[in-house]
Amino acid sequence: MVIGRKGTGKTAIYEYLRQASITELDGYRTIALSFKDYPWPIQRLYRESMESEISSYQRSWRYIIVVKCLAGLVDTMEKRGKLPSDLKDAKQLLLKLFGKPDPDLLEIVKSKIFRLKSFNLPGVDIDEISLTLGGIEFDDVAQHEELQRQLRANAFQLLDHFDEVYRRYANQAKQLVIIDQLDENWLHGEIEEYSKILVNLILCAQNINHSILYDGKLKVVVFLRADIYETLRFNDKNKVYQDGAVEIKWDYDSLDAMITERIEKYAPQTANIQLTEKSASIFENKTVRHGATPLKHMLRRSFYRPRDLIVYLNKVREIHKPVASELYTSKDLYAAEKNVSSSMYDELIDEWAAQNPDFESYLMALQNIGYEIFTRAQFFENYKSIKTAASDGEVNEVLRFLFSNSIIGQKVSVNWEYVCTSPYIQIDFHFPFHVNNGLKYRLVLTENREKRQRKIPATKAA
């Protein structure tokens, strides 16, 4: 698995692997499966009701993976010369079943194999048998239990056959299956079932990767949001993570290097840029407010993700007016804050609204408080005004959620810290909270009342 919060770069890695040459990937050919527009309810049609929750979808995942890998193997070996007879038969069968020898994701799961009453492999006369169910189409399958049983029976019979053929030649081609966009198009109310589907995918990938049947030539990598992985429940979850996961995490230095690399690639040659200053090289002032570097200033208004910085710098770019130095100014940096705050808010809604329909009410409660610094009691009062039935326990869970996602933080020593910068800090409901600086303008927050009062000079006695 490759795990990371939204915006940390999972899809960038997926795209690199998708586009990389076989030479760059140590001889592996990439098979990329994006679930961006995948109709998740279809997957439920392949669920084996007699199996346990952790295996009820495993064969359906294996079916998709094996069909794609067999198609990839056929293509690879055909380019080398004449196909062996069983692979030639497999190619013809793929063509008959799915309309082409290398079907895409939807063509596999929405094929008309449910129409087949019975067939003898490796050959099957689709033209004759497909007429037996008249005008019934795939969309009708969801309404007919018998058609669903037929769909599963045929798919898994094909799986066994295709898998057997594939394993005979697995050592002839190294294949890397990468699977991304698994959090797209989820429907509220179905999240529990989708979670089971993802657990089955993770376990299916693990089984394939550890199987000796593929001679170590087939690997499956799942790209998954860290927050979604946290919600999944299955045995040996921690062991699976420790043994087979790479989690994307960023710190100041790695983000500085990332921005510097982009500067080096895209900066105009006429610009007077000293890359020894790294990300600060594109700014006139190498230190800004409170003695921070421009990067530190931006990171204080972020979740420490590449996406946050790229958005911020693009807002700076939009606001910038040409100056003699051809560099950005501290004025540009400050002027971009309001637009960055709105983008950060929209990004949070995009990230969480599908899984959590109450999420906007969390942010509304913060906005209604009106201050960057607040107590649990203040949040409780404002959240209850939005959701009158909310209990103490629910409010605590909401605060934990906001805290774990760095939307709010707490003071450690003299500084406000967030999980994105200090992953091991623990929430304490007895101490004040601080809203992430990046949301200040969009939520129309001011400094807390006590701090403002200290700044007001005392009036002189008459």
Side-chain angles (χ1 to χ4, degrees), residues 284-445:
E284 279 187 351
N285 302 98
K286 309 311 177 187
T287 58
V288 292
R289 194 183 295 158
H290 305 304
T293 63
L295 176 62
K296 189 68 175 178
H297 183 88
M298 291 186 282
L299 288 175
R300 285 173 177 165
R301 291 149 183 82
S302 79
F303 296 121
Y304 268 68
R305 306 178 302 184
R307 181 178 298 179
D308 302 327
L309 291 179
I310 292 168
V311 167
Y312 203 129
L313 287 167
N314 278 327
K315 298 301 181 186
V316 167
R317 196 161 153 263
E318 291 168 8
I319 285 172
H320 175 71
K321 298 291 191 296
V323 292
S325 67
E326 297 185 325
L327 300 176
Y328 297 127
T329 66
S330 55
K331 184 179 178 181
D332 297 332
L333 192 67
Y334 305 144
E337 288 180 13
K338 289 186 179 180
N339 290 338
V340 168
S341 190
S342 293
S343 294
M344 191 172 184
Y345 179 93
D346 293 341
E347 180 72 24
L348 284 172
I349 297 300
D350 180 60
E351 183 175 359
W352 292 109
Q355 281 96 320
N356 189 343
D358 291 328
F359 178 69
E360 285 190 69
S361 66
Y362 303 170
L363 300 183
M364 190 181 300
L366 295 176
Q367 183 169 350
N368 290 345
I369 292 171
Y371 299 104
E372 296 173 271
I373 301 171
F374 65 94
T375 64
R376 183 198 176 280
Q378 288 174 301
F379 186 83
F380 180 83
E381 178 185 348
N382 282 274
Y383 189 68
K384 285 276 286 185
S385 70
I386 299 168
K387 289 196 69 180
T388 55
S391 64
D392 271 9
E394 181 180 343
V395 169
N396 286 347
E397 286 306 307
V398 171
L399 286 169
R400 283 194 185 93
F401 174 87
L402 295 171
F403 187 83
S404 65
N405 288 287
S406 301
I407 296 168
I408 61 174
Q410 287 189 307
K411 189 166 282 189
V412 176
S413 185
V414 296
N415 297 316
W416 295 107
E417 298 289 350
Y418 303 87
V419 169
C420 61
T421 54
S422 302
Y424 300 113
I425 61 173
Q426 298 294 315
I427 192 169
D428 190 328
F429 295 112
H430 298 97
F431 289 96
F433 297 93
H434 190 283
V435 179
N436 190 302
N437 289 322
L439 293 168
K440 173 183 175 180
Y441 287 107
R442 176 58 181 80
L443 296 181
V444 200
L445 304 179

Side-chain angles (χ1 to χ4, degrees), residues 131-172:
L131 300 175
T132 58
L133 292 178
I136 295 179
E137 296 297 332
F138 188 87
D139 291 342
D140 300 313
V141 175
Q143 311 302 323
H144 296 80
E145 289 187 13
E146 181 56 39
L147 291 182
Q148 292 174 39
R149 282 193 291 270
Q150 196 66 44
L151 173 70
R152 289 190 293 271
N154 290 346
F156 301 147
Q157 186 179 349
L158 285 168
L159 165 62
D160 292 341
H161 172 68
F162 285 151
D163 197 31
E164 182 182 350
V165 174
Y166 178 75
R167 282 189 273 113
R168 290 179 203 150
Y169 301 95
N171 63 355
Q172 296 297 307

